[in-house]
Amino acid sequence: MLEKFTPNQRLLVAVALSFIFFIGYTTIFPPKASNLEANTTNTAVSTVAAAQPETSAKEAVTDTQSASEVQTTATDTLTTVNSKEFTLKIDTLGRISSVILSNKKHNGKDGKLAELVSSVGAKPLYIRFADEALNAAASKTPYSSDLNNITLGENGKAVVTLTQNLPELTVTKTLTFYTDGHYDAKIALSNEKRYFVYLGQHPQVIEQMMTVVGGMIYSGDNLTTIFEDKDVEGRSIFTDVHFASSFDQYYASIIYGFSKETQVYVDRDAQSNPVTYLEGTNNFTFNGYIGPKEHKTLEAINPVLTNAIEYGWFTFVAAPIFKILMWLHGLLGNWGWSIIALTIIIRIFLYPLTHKGMVSMQKIKEIAPRIKEVQEKYKGDPARMNAAVMEMYKKHGANPLGGCLPLLLQIPVFFAIYRVLLNAVELQGAEWVMWVHDLSRMDPYYILPILMGATMYYQQKITPSNFTDPLQEKIFKFLPVIFTFFFFTFPAGLVLYWFVNNIFSIAQQYLVNKQFEAARAARHEAHLAEKHHEKD
């Protein structure tokens, strides 16, 4: 059927279908970041892995299995850390067993405060010993704490010391907690023993929407390796790691600040989800963070942590776009108006491209009847027909690719915006107008999606088209309806961007149409004047 479209029509259909495919595909298979685990990062540590005794792999598997088993053991709360933004609990096995955010903007759909520590899988700071007998004893021996209840003042910090007395071994964890959600950790063993420290599973606060969920290793020369839930096949070993993260759409548990020589393992659990753990030393120091992936917070703690905010394929475009969005929010103080201002900036930046595409479409529309005549005249000779059509394009300055390239060049920008607004935890609880109280969630009254669909329909109506097949025209006219239904469940901030973008597209198309109407009117008047002159 596509062969009946003009080149410009084929492009528009391709762009529309690619957008639909992108939305549908990322719903089922969220896009992966550059996954270099097999060919790049692991190569750097292959010598280290190969040098380990054969029992190492077996021990690592046992670690993962036992972590899940220990997780089912009933434990009591040993220490509670209270702050304005969160309440953190440490259990009698020395693990961070709970982190509850106090701000209601993070609440799940059930209205309950957000709990960032998963109820299943290994919990943060859990220690697993390679020696099975020692590990069995550790799983039954409770820690003691020098503090049972801590309240963090504003910009304050507090230190808690946990101690576990095992047969012929004493484990000491010294933890310093800060109000911004990060902590410092030091693990000291009285004797040298091989052990692993677990990162913990990712939070499960909200239903994920077309986003990557799982684990991340940020290592080497800015290499990002993503391990998605349900898609981990085996064990990977890394060194020179800047941080390890277990994350969902808005939140993360992160460990960072350890030495380059530290070996970081990513294994699979029974559901093929990633399980991340680090091999410790007798005096092992590192840092951690459990909380929202807010850019300003992560940057203030350690700039490298901003790389934990992952935008998928278009990170190279999305990251600077988000920085512009934050700058606009600093000026305007409202995320909704900042999105509108960002849309204006992007439209100005892309104006030459969009203008060129619109002008090309108008030129093709003007010569469409003549093109059709040429096609009819040489329909039995395809080579001659194509040559004649190209000559016609050249004569009238109409480039059949003129509408293609500008649109194709805009696609990375559009999808980058899509990823930014979908992953920005800053939009949580952000109000815009009277009926939009949370830009990170769908419009409860569907007003923005309907407005988006209406503007898309009107934009389509004033955009030149040269359909010759009525069925093709009907299908194309249904696209605004299809897109409207797609956008019903999208975050309001994302729909707002597309709505405002459509308004600017309509305005620009209107100006181009008026310019061509004026040019046609001028040519018509000149033609009449020439005829009148000939009569005289």
Side-chain angles (χ1 to χ4, degrees), residues 259-393:
S259 69
K260 290 185 177 182
E261 292 74 27
T262 300
Q263 293 197 53
V264 180
Y265 298 76
V266 179
D267 222 321
R268 56 175 291 180
D269 63 11
Q271 289 74 42
S272 297
N273 296 333
V275 178
T276 304
Y277 47 96
L278 291 66
E279 185 161 358
T281 59
N282 269 28
N283 289 284
F284 188 40
T285 60
F286 58 92
N287 311 103
Y289 171 79
I290 302 176
K293 293 186 290 184
E294 293 178 348
H295 192 280
K296 286 185 177 179
T297 299
L298 296 176
E299 188 172 43
I301 295 171
N302 189 323
V304 74
L305 298 184
T306 59
N307 295 284
I309 306 171
E310 199 276 322
Y311 300 109
W313 295 318
F314 298 104
T315 297
F316 70 100
V317 181
I321 285 178
F322 182 70
K323 288 184 179 180
I324 296 173
L325 182 62
M326 286 197 303
W327 175 74
L328 290 170
H329 180 260
L331 294 177
L332 303 175
N334 180 280
W335 286 106
W337 295 115
S338 300
I339 291 171
I340 293 173
L342 176 66
T343 310
I344 294 172
I345 291 173
I346 290 174
R347 292 298 308 195
I348 292 173
F349 178 75
L350 295 176
Y351 182 85
L353 286 175
T354 54
H355 180 78
K356 186 176 181 180
M358 289 177 179
V359 168
S360 181
M361 290 168 70
Q362 281 285 5
K363 288 181 177 180
I364 291 175
K365 179 186 176 181
E366 284 191 338
I367 64 174
R370 299 183 186 181
I371 294 292
K372 190 175 180 181
E373 291 175 3
V374 170
Q375 290 172 335
E376 287 293 328
K377 183 177 180 181
Y378 299 110
K379 61 182 178 181
D381 189 347
R384 192 171 181 184
M385 179 184 71
N386 289 334
V389 168
M390 294 307 297
E391 182 64 29
M392 183 76 69
Y393 283 143

Side-chain angles (χ1 to χ4, degrees), residues 465-479:
S465 62
N466 303 302
F467 290 105
T468 56
D469 187 338
L471 178 60
Q472 294 172 358
E473 188 172 9
K474 286 180 181 179
I475 293 173
F476 209 69
K477 283 184 177 180
F478 268 104
L479 285 178

Side-chain angles (χ1 to χ4, degrees), residues 205-218:
V205 179
I206 62 172
E207 294 180 11
Q208 306 307 316
M209 178 186 288
M210 296 164 284
T211 53
V212 178
V213 176
M216 173 193 294
I217 302 294
Y218 188 70

